[in-house]
């Protein structure tokens, strides 16, 4: 018997969880269920994280968590519980299979069998945001080498285990050369270790367009967090409904299984929600805990039910479906089919062990890191960059020189265009002169001088070279 934690969530959560548990228990899942309360009620009771400390203990003890979708109240500083759970528990890999069920569920893409492997812990989801000036806010996009290595290796190991032929990577590294550039570079490094698996990279915009147009050309797709969030909803919807796809969040110690969709409050309490997404999550959970026989039985019964045309309203189509059913009736139909296999859709046959044996991340030796300059960000309400440059030149000396000012990344000094629209947020780049770099104290010196001259500095970013290579972006137009 495996002990698992269950949360029934908000909106349609309780209905689809009840249906899911009923099906898997009827199929013989050997589970001891410990229920916790998370989500809206907990948020509104004043806990801005949406979860009580004792519930964290339960999740960490049991290590396996089946979670229905929850509602994050808008405003009020409530932090997304989903993001917190994924990050606190180190659930770095989010695996989202999206399969077409043609001809039984209407889709424009009869041949589609994609698995999206989404990085789950970093990127813009670090949630580090600040208002810096009257006019400008920022969100930090953090991408780490361990984050990239872990998720890309997971994608290739998953592809190997599941006999998949190709792993595709989507990034936007033509624009984000440092962050997405690192993800792409690590993808190339790790892909080389798997010569039997085809690999390719697409810039996310054209890649997403191709995925929406010809999903049959894709197999496993790995990508950073935000792109994966967006594209997995699109991929699931392409198969017929977001209500059909499940999601596994896998870490080194713990794992969480859920539907990819949200709590759909508009249809809550009406017995119309499709429980299939959460059921698919539960099937991944059963495979994860070694109850693959039960997982196989449930999946085949589910395929058979879909094939019989017994459909919830959002996928019901006259001429394709045979019977429109509610959440409960759908679950009962799946239970009725336990032990049967689909006739036209391909029945599944699961292996007994789905645990991936992944190496621990090994930190590389530190590079030779040299401070070569500093970007000082300034709030300034003037409009002529030449005037700002004049003020700033008063705070430099012969060792440190102002080399550039940008506004929202575009170079406005020297030789800016008068057409460029400028906000009150300026990045002023100071570079050390000569090859020796600059001492950290020089940054403090600059800030002190700026203070004396009444220049409103917001923040600084140190400019480094690593092993002699400049490791910061140039200004656009520089
Ligand atoms: P949603 O996924 O809840 O709904 C999007 C659309 O899909 C709606 O039209 C909905 O009716 C439909 N839909 C979703 N699941 C369905 C199902 N099982 N059966 C039939 N139709 C289904 O997205 P949303 O409306 O943007 O978000 C609602 C709430 O869910 C928000 O509070 C959001 O924060 C939360 N959310 C939670 C999770 C999670 O817990 N993992 C994920 C995404 C969104």
């Amino acid at each position: 018997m495996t002990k698992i934690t269950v949360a029934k969530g908000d909106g349609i959560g309780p209905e689809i969880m009840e249906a899911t548990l009923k099906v898997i228990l009827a199929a013989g899942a050997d589970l001891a269920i410990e229920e916790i309360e998370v989500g809206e009620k907990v948020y509104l009771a004043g806990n801005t994280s949406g979860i009580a400390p004792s519930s964290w203990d339960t999740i960490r003890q049991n290590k396996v968590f089946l979670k229905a979708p929850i509602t994050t109240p808008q405003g009020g500083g409530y932090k997304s519980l989903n993001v917190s759970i994924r990050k606190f528990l180190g659930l770095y890999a989010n695996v989202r299979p999206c399969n077409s069920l043609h001809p039984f569920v209407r889709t424009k893409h009869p041949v589609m069998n994609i698995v999206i492997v989404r990085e789950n812990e970093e990127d813009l989801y670090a949630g580090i945001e600040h208002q810096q000036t009257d006019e400008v806010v920022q969100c930090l996009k953090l991408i780490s080498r361990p984050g990239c290595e872990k998720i890309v290796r997971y994608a290739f190991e998953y592809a190997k285990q599941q006999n998949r032929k190709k792993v595709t990577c989507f990034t936007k590294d033509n624009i984000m050369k440092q962050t997405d550039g690192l993800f792409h570079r690590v993808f190339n490094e790790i892909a080389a270790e798997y010569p039997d698996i085809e690999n390719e990279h697409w810039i996310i915009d054209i890649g997403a367009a191709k995925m929406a147009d010809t999903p049959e050309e894709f197999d496993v797709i790995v990508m950073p967090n935000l792109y994966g969030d967006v594209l997995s909803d699109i991929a699931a919807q392409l198969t017929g409904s977001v209500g059909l796809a499940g999601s596994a969040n896998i870490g080194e110690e713990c794992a969480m299984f859920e539907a990819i969709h949200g709590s759909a409050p508009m249809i809550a309490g009406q017995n119309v929600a499709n429980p299939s997404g959460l059921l698919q999550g539960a099937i991944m959970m059963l495979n994860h805990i070694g109850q693959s026989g039960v997982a196989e039985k449930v999946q085949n019964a589910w395929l058979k039910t879909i094939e019989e045309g017994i459909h919830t309203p959002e996928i019901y189509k006259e001429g394709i479906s045979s019977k429109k059913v509610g959440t409960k009736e759908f679950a009962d139909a799946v239970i009725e089919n336990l032990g049967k296999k689909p006739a036209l859709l391909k029945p599944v046959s699961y292996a007994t062990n789905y645990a991936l044996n992944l190496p621990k991340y090994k930190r590389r030796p530190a590079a030779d890191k040299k401070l070569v300059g500093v970007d000082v960000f300034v709030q300034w309400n003037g409009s002529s960059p030449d005037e700002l440059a004049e003020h700033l030149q008063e705070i430099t000396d012969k060792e440190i020189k102002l080399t550039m000012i940008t506004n929202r990344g575009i170079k406005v000094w020297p030789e800016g265009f008068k057409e460029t629209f400028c906000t009150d947020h300026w990045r002023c780049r100071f570079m050390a002169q000569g090859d020796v770099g600059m001492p950290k104290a020089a940054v403090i010196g600059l800030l002190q001088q700026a203070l004396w001259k009444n220049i409103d500095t917001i923040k600084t970013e140190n400019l480094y070279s690593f092993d002699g290579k400049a490791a910061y972006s140039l200004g656009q137009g520089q």
Side-chain angles (χ1 to χ4, degrees), residues 12 16 67-74 82 86 233 237 241-243 258-267 272-275 314:
I12 58 172
I16 60 173
K67 187 186 76 60
I70 56 159
T71 303
T72 311
Q74 294 286 305
N82 294 315
R86 291 168 187 159
D233 266 32
Q237 191 70 31
S241 165
V242 280
E258 54 186 345
I260 76 158
H261 59 76
S263 56
M266 298 283 278
I267 57 165
V272 293
N274 191 344
E314 98 290 6

Side-chain angles (χ1 to χ4, degrees), residues 203-434:
I203 299 289
I204 177 85
D205 35 10
I206 187 62
K210 280 173 79 76
M211 187 198 81
D213 187 41
T214 50
E216 64 277 11
E217 286 176 15
F218 294 95
D219 196 338
V220 174
I221 317 180
V222 64
M223 56 193 119
N225 203 342
L226 177 63
Y227 310 144
D229 191 1
V230 176
L231 288 206
S232 54
D233 266 32
I234 295 175
Q237 191 70 31
L238 288 178
T239 70
S241 165
V242 280
L244 290 169
S247 157
N249 300 267
I250 309 287
E252 282 169 11
E253 299 224 347
C254 301
M256 173 171 77
F257 301 87
E258 54 186 345
I260 76 158
H261 59 76
S263 56
M266 298 283 278
I267 57 165
Q270 298 166 32
N271 191 37
V272 293
N274 191 344
S276 298
L278 189 58
L279 189 63
Q280 289 303 311
I283 290 167
M284 288 194 264
M285 176 189 78
L286 291 168
N287 275 321
H288 179 83
I289 60 177
Q291 297 191 24
S292 302
V294 187
E296 188 175 305
K297 200 167 159 189
V298 176
Q299 180 69 341
N300 283 329
W302 178 75
L303 289 168
K304 172 98 180 129
T305 310
I306 295 283
E307 194 176 275
E308 285 173 345
I310 301 174
H311 293 164
T312 43
E314 98 290 6
I315 56 167
Y316 180 87
K317 278 277 163 314
E318 207 78 50
I320 298 180
S321 312
S322 62
K323 197 171 174 195
K324 195 189 282 184
V325 291
T327 315
K328 285 189 184 131
E329 294 72 27
F330 181 80
D332 290 340
V334 177
I335 292 169
E336 192 70 20
N337 279 331
L338 286 170
K340 298 182 195 157
K341 287 189 174 165
L344 284 172
L345 291 170
K346 199 168 170 257
V348 296
S349 163
Y350 292 137
T352 45
N353 186 357
Y354 277 96
L356 291 179
N357 203 356
L358 293 157
K360 286 244 184 244
Y361 173 73
K362 277 204 209 86
R363 184 161 284 162
R364 300 174 163 209
D368 177 23
K369 177 177 165 190
K370 189 161 93 179
L371 185 67
V372 294
V374 62
D375 279 345
V376 179
F377 290 76
V378 166
Q379 171 161 1
W380 186 64
N381 294 326
S383 58
S384 153
D386 290 350
E387 198 184 320
L388 177 61
E390 247 172 63
H391 286 304
L392 291 168
Q393 271 158 340
E394 288 172 19
I395 66 170
T396 55
D397 55 31
K398 55 180 183 319
E399 266 94 51
I400 298 168
K401 198 172 153 211
L402 176 71
T403 59
M404 171 183 79
I405 301 176
T406 68
N407 197 294
R408 291 186 298 175
I410 187 91
K411 187 188 74 164
V412 292
W413 182 92
E415 290 153 18
F417 285 12
K418 73 172 171 29
E419 292 85 350
T420 305
F421 180 82
C422 291
T423 66
D424 60 356
H425 184 272
W426 308 79
R427 173 181 60 166
C428 311
R429 177 160 291 178
F430 295 89
M431 296 299 291
Q433 301 303 292

Side-chain angles (χ1 to χ4, degrees), residues 417-467:
F417 285 12
K418 73 172 171 29
E419 292 85 350
T420 305
F421 180 82
C422 291
T423 66
D424 60 356
H425 184 272
W426 308 79
R427 173 181 60 166
C428 311
R429 177 160 291 178
F430 295 89
M431 296 299 291
Q433 301 303 292
D435 291 337
V436 283
M438 68 192 235
K440 264 219 177 118
V443 177
I444 299 164
L446 265 179
L447 290 179
Q448 182 64 65
Q449 294 274 348
L451 187 68
W452 284 330
K453 297 269 175 211
N454 251 341
I455 296 169
D456 184 5
T457 53
I458 305 157
K459 69 160 191 174
T460 59
E461 283 295 344
N462 289 350
L463 305 177
Y464 290 110
S465 70
F466 283 83
D467 289 337

Side-chain angles (χ1 to χ4, degrees), residues 71-330:
T71 303
T72 311
Q74 294 286 305
Y78 301 113
K79 281 293 209 186
S80 161
L81 175 59
N82 294 315
V83 176
S84 305
I85 294 172
R86 291 168 187 159
K87 295 206 300 194
F88 267 129
L89 300 181
L91 310 180
Y92 64 92
N94 190 331
V95 184
R96 299 182 156 190
C98 299
N99 299 319
S100 169
L101 297 158
H102 176 78
F104 305 103
V105 174
R106 203 178 70 152
T107 164
K108 296 188 183 97
H109 300 289
V111 185
M112 175 170 172
N113 185 345
I114 289 179
V115 180
I116 294 193
V117 177
R118 162 188 172 192
E119 196 289 317
N120 219 12
E121 293 180 286
E122 45 191 49
D123 193 357
L124 289 157
Y125 287 64
I128 307 176
E129 295 191 294
H130 305 94
Q131 177 163 1
Q132 297 195 323
T133 66
D134 288 316
E135 294 175 346
V136 175
V137 288
Q138 77 160 14
C139 176
L140 283 187
K141 171 160 168 146
L142 294 179
I143 301 275
S144 72
R145 177 167 270 277
C148 296
E149 283 191 13
K150 281 164 73 176
I151 195 65
V152 173
R153 191 169 294 287
Y154 188 95
F156 277 96
E157 282 294 322
Y158 178 90
K160 191 164 106 184
Q161 182 199 59
Q162 305 275 328
N163 279 323
R164 297 229 165 211
K165 305 284 172 276
K166 182 164 81 174
V167 180
T168 304
C169 175
F170 285 171
T171 70
K172 186 79 184 169
D173 66 336
N174 55 330
I175 302 295
M176 284 161 277
K177 296 185 169 71
Q178 292 290 332
T179 47
D180 283 22
L182 176 62
F183 197 96
H184 187 176
R185 231 172 26 250
V186 168
F187 177 78
N188 288 344
E189 286 167 19
I190 291 181
E193 295 177 32
Y194 297 84
D196 296 337
I197 300 172
E198 204 187 318
N199 71 80
E200 63 178 6
H201 171 269
W202 290 99
I203 299 289
I204 177 85
D205 35 10
I206 187 62
K210 280 173 79 76
M211 187 198 81
D213 187 41
T214 50
E216 64 277 11
E217 286 176 15
F218 294 95
D219 196 338
V220 174
I221 317 180
V222 64
M223 56 193 119
N225 203 342
L226 177 63
Y227 310 144
D229 191 1
V230 176
L231 288 206
S232 54
D233 266 32
I234 295 175
Q237 191 70 31
L238 288 178
T239 70
S241 165
V242 280
L244 290 169
S247 157
N249 300 267
I250 309 287
E252 282 169 11
E253 299 224 347
C254 301
M256 173 171 77
F257 301 87
E258 54 186 345
I260 76 158
H261 59 76
S263 56
M266 298 283 278
I267 57 165
Q270 298 166 32
N271 191 37
V272 293
N274 191 344
S276 298
L278 189 58
L279 189 63
Q280 289 303 311
I283 290 167
M284 288 194 264
M285 176 189 78
L286 291 168
N287 275 321
H288 179 83
I289 60 177
Q291 297 191 24
S292 302
V294 187
E296 188 175 305
K297 200 167 159 189
V298 176
Q299 180 69 341
N300 283 329
W302 178 75
L303 289 168
K304 172 98 180 129
T305 310
I306 295 283
E307 194 176 275
E308 285 173 345
I310 301 174
H311 293 164
T312 43
E314 98 290 6
I315 56 167
Y316 180 87
K317 278 277 163 314
E318 207 78 50
I320 298 180
S321 312
S322 62
K323 197 171 174 195
K324 195 189 282 184
V325 291
T327 315
K328 285 189 184 131
E329 294 72 27
F330 181 80

